[in-house]
Amino acid sequence: MPDTEMPLDLRIDQAHPKIDLCLRTFGVEQAAFLTACNPYSVALSASRNQARMDQLQHALHHEGWRWLKGAGIPHSDAWQAEPSVLILGMDPAAARRWGQRYQQNALVHVQAGHAPQLLWLAD
C-alpha cells in the first residue's frame, strides 16, 4: 500500500514518482482521476455532489473497478475542492466514457513512467 500519510499531488504534465509507486503497488500501469461533481462546471450543492459521487462509486463497484478516494484541488479560491476517485487500471478510452457519463469537461489520466495528462471531453 502506498504511504497514505503523504498525498499523491498530481499536476498536469509534471512527473510524480509516487504515482508510479502507487500504480506498481496496485499492479496496474494506468489510472484515471475522475469526479462526478459539478457537471459541465455547473456548481452544485455539497449534498448533490455527494449523491453524484455515491452514484459513481456504486457504478464503479458494480462494474468491478478498484479506486482510491481523492480530491481535485482547484488553483483558485473561487472553486471548492471536488471529491474524486483514482480509478486503478482505467485506460483513456474507458476514462472518456466514464467522464462523459458523469458530464465532465475533462479528467486526468496517468500512465506509469509518464506525467499526468489532462483529457478534454467536451466537443
Side-chain angles (χ1 to χ4, degrees):
M1 186 92 170
D3 178 5
T4 56
E5 297 301 313
M6 296 253 325
L8 292 172
D9 187 4
L10 301 179
R11 299 199 182 260
I12 304 304
D13 296 327
Q14 293 180 16
H16 192 304
K18 244 182 125 178
I19 190 64
D20 286 346
L21 174 61
C22 177
L23 294 175
R24 277 195 311 274
T25 298
F26 287 99
V28 298
E29 290 292 318
Q30 58 192 340
F33 191 68
L34 177 65
T35 186
C37 296
N38 304 317
Y40 299 127
S41 299
V42 174
L44 299 180
S45 68
S47 62
R48 288 185 67 197
N49 279 330
Q50 186 57 56
R52 289 177 61 86
M53 285 303 296
D54 291 346
Q55 181 185 34
L56 169 61
Q57 291 175 16
H58 180 268
L60 289 168
H61 177 75
H62 180 73
E63 293 193 24
W65 291 100
R66 297 179 298 156
W67 71 90
L68 304 173
K69 289 183 180 181
I73 309 296
H75 292 288
S76 164
D77 291 338
W79 200 256
Q80 298 292 317
E82 294 178 333
S84 303
V85 289
L86 181 68
I87 308 162
L88 302 166
M90 186 171 276
D91 64 60
R96 286 179 189 280
R97 287 191 301 274
W98 280 85
Q100 290 166 341
R101 179 175 172 180
Y102 286 90
Q103 302 167 313
Q104 297 302 300
N105 290 321
L107 60 90
V108 177
H109 186 262
V110 295
Q111 178 79 32
H114 299 277
Q117 297 295 309
L118 189 63
L119 298 181
W120 288 102
L121 305 175
D123 294 332

